[in-house]
Amino acid sequence: TMVAACIRLASLQAERAIPTSRLSESSDIDSGQFHRSCSILRDNLDRTLPAPKPAGYLAFLGDELTVDEEQLQASAQVLEDVAGTQSLVGKDPGGIAAAALYLSAEDLIQSDVAEAIGVSTETVRTRVTQLRGLVSDG
């Protein structure tokens, strides 16, 4: 649990976020203990880490789904175009990143993208609809 917490905090510090669901999916890791360990580490190391941004998950998704750099850049552009949009505030940044990647990479399957980031296909579908609307409005 402590190793997973260290990896999570390091990934946030490097702005290459790894979803907590992927780090705590092992049967050996209790989700509650994982979150407590993250808090304890953050406090003891006196670290203030930024909240993860959707773009911070793109490297993880690119590695998980073997996506090329051009598709990652297109996804990053989508995320940049919608940055600061009120309708996305409070939404899972991993789900937003997954939706942007799904929109940018025609050969990806929605369920594969959802599984890679650790959200439901419904979450990806909802975020895709939101992103399409935001991009077309902009």
Short mmCIF file of all heavy atoms in Angstrom, two decimals, residues 25 36 50 63 118 128:
data_model
loop_
_atom_site.label_atom_id
_atom_site.label_comp_id
_atom_site.label_asym_id
_atom_site.label_seq_id
_atom_site.Cartn_x
_atom_site.Cartn_y
_atom_site.Cartn_z
N GLU A 25 -5.87 -1.53 -7.49
CA GLU A 25 -6.69 -2.63 -7.96
C GLU A 25 -6.24 -4.00 -7.46
O GLU A 25 -6.99 -4.96 -7.52
CB GLU A 25 -6.80 -2.62 -9.49
CG GLU A 25 -5.51 -2.89 -10.20
CD GLU A 25 -5.62 -2.68 -11.72
OE1 GLU A 25 -6.69 -2.29 -12.21
OE2 GLU A 25 -4.61 -2.92 -12.39
N ARG A 36 -5.30 6.86 2.85
CA ARG A 36 -4.68 7.34 4.09
C ARG A 36 -3.16 7.43 3.94
O ARG A 36 -2.54 8.39 4.39
CB ARG A 36 -5.05 6.43 5.26
CG ARG A 36 -6.47 6.66 5.77
CD ARG A 36 -6.77 5.89 7.06
NE ARG A 36 -6.75 4.44 6.87
CZ ARG A 36 -7.76 3.72 6.37
NH1 ARG A 36 -8.86 4.32 5.97
NH2 ARG A 36 -7.66 2.41 6.25
N PRO A 50 -0.24 19.50 -6.85
CA PRO A 50 -1.39 20.04 -7.58
C PRO A 50 -2.42 18.94 -7.84
O PRO A 50 -2.07 17.76 -7.95
CB PRO A 50 -0.77 20.54 -8.89
CG PRO A 50 0.45 19.69 -9.08
CD PRO A 50 0.95 19.41 -7.69
N ASP A 63 0.82 5.09 -22.97
CA ASP A 63 1.58 3.87 -22.69
C ASP A 63 0.68 2.64 -22.61
O ASP A 63 1.00 1.59 -23.14
CB ASP A 63 2.36 4.00 -21.37
CG ASP A 63 3.50 5.01 -21.45
OD1 ASP A 63 3.90 5.37 -22.58
OD2 ASP A 63 3.98 5.43 -20.39
N GLY A 118 -9.65 3.30 -15.88
CA GLY A 118 -10.35 2.85 -14.68
C GLY A 118 -11.68 3.54 -14.44
O GLY A 118 -12.06 3.79 -13.30
N VAL A 128 -17.22 12.33 -23.76
CA VAL A 128 -17.07 12.52 -25.20
C VAL A 128 -18.15 13.47 -25.70
O VAL A 128 -17.87 14.42 -26.46
CB VAL A 128 -17.12 11.17 -25.96
CG1 VAL A 128 -17.37 11.36 -27.44
CG2 VAL A 128 -15.84 10.38 -25.74
#
